[in-house]
Amino acid sequence: MDWQTLASHLFPEGHDIAEQDFFLSGTASVAGRPVTVIGTTGHTPIGVEIALAQAKAVLDTVRSHPGRPIIILVDTQGQRLRHRDEMLGINSYMAHLGKCIELARRRNHKVIGLVYDQALSGGFITSGLLADACYALPDATIRVMGLPAMARITKVPEERLTELAKDNPVFAPGAHNYLVMGGLEAIWDKDLADNLQSALDTATQADRRSELGAARGGRKWSQRVVQAVLAEGHARAA
């Protein structure tokens, strides 16, 4: 789904979202209240410029519109793999974006992520996965790394990874697998405006991903490890 069609379904009350060099920004109305919208389109990679543009939009909202919700629309092939960006320290720019989103959260801005097309690797981690809750459309493509690339990095044969992906969502791409692992709160397949309003009404700052992954059977150990660490910490404090 292209971003213009998406915006018309998400914001039937109106919006002024504009695209510039694959970066989306603007405002919209949800149930009569304004929200800030940022995001990307065209499967664009997240480079230094877009990371800074998103961070600036978040900080402008925190500064000028206290408490206004922030919606992040995700369509990216990941971080930009260029020598220039690496030499400039793209990791620091992405970390800066993450800090800005965390600042907004601490200032009581609800942050909702929506993967409407493609979400890969670092570009997804520093956008939708940093939200209070991340959602996706049914046909969205989500993965940390493609299986051929994963095979080259891990030295595990691609055929073996393909077999593992049939039963283990960690290895398999797709919105459903990220739902099972708890990375997504839900998949939106009906009225997008109603879903967005409900997401804003129910958003909390609590990180429920490990808990959801355990309940859905996609991540069997993460929540156990979290609970063990917390229990050990409490025991030592006592």
Side-chain angles (χ1 to χ4, degrees):
M1 181 182 295
D2 61 81
W3 76 262
Q4 295 93 337
T5 302
L6 174 72
S8 66
H9 286 291
L10 279 176
F11 312 113
E13 297 178 10
H15 69 85
D16 63 4
I17 304 169
E19 175 189 346
Q20 183 175 5
D21 297 329
F22 303 108
F23 170 60
L24 304 175
S25 63
T27 58
S29 180
V30 177
R33 54 183 172 177
V35 299
T36 291
V37 182
I38 64 173
T40 49
T41 189
H43 300 351
T44 191
I46 306 297
V48 168
E49 295 82 6
I50 287 183
L52 280 179
Q54 292 191 95
K56 180 179 184 301
V58 172
L59 291 179
D60 286 345
T61 299
V62 172
R63 181 183 301 111
S64 302
H65 306 285
R68 174 182 288 184
I70 299 171
I71 313 300
I72 305 175
L73 304 180
V74 182
D75 175 21
T76 176
Q77 61 181 271
Q79 71 185 66
R80 189 161 63 194
L81 302 177
R82 289 185 184 175
H83 180 71
R84 169 182 175 274
D85 290 83
E86 294 294 337
M87 292 301 293
L88 287 172
I90 181 63
N91 58 309
S92 296
Y93 287 85
M94 288 188 156
H96 172 63
L97 172 58
K99 292 175 182 178
C100 292
I101 293 175
E102 176 61 16
L103 172 66
R105 183 181 292 108
R106 293 188 181 192
R107 297 288 180 87
N108 297 317
H109 294 261
K110 293 185 176 182
V111 184
I112 300 296
L114 175 62
V115 181
Y116 69 98
D117 199 320
Q118 180 173 274
L120 274 69
S121 65
F124 181 37
I125 293 171
T126 55
S127 55
L129 282 183
L130 285 178
D132 291 323
C134 187
Y135 300 83
L137 300 187
D139 295 331
T141 298
I142 306 176
R143 64 174 181 265
V144 172
M145 184 180 292
L147 294 185
M150 191 181 297
R152 290 195 298 270
I153 295 298
T154 64
K155 309 303 180 184
V156 176
E158 184 178 344
E159 295 76 13
R160 175 56 176 158
L161 293 177
T162 301
E163 286 298 315
L164 290 171
K166 293 178 181 179
D167 300 315
N168 192 324
V170 172
F171 292 92
H176 175 72
N177 288 301
Y178 273 77
L179 177 72
V180 172
M181 289 190 293
L184 296 177
E185 189 79 14
I187 295 175
W188 292 350
D189 58 359
K190 295 181 180 179
D191 189 304
L192 297 185
D194 283 349
N195 280 317
L196 178 56
Q197 181 177 345
S198 177
L200 288 171
D201 290 340
T202 58
T204 70
Q205 295 183 7
D207 188 347
R208 302 176 58 238
R209 288 173 294 186
S210 293
E211 178 184 344
L212 290 175
R216 296 167 180 171
R219 297 178 70 193
K220 299 179 180 179
W221 282 97
S222 178
Q223 183 63 15
R224 298 184 194 181
V225 171
V226 170
Q227 291 173 337
V229 171
L230 290 175
E232 179 67 18
H234 291 153
R236 292 193 177 190

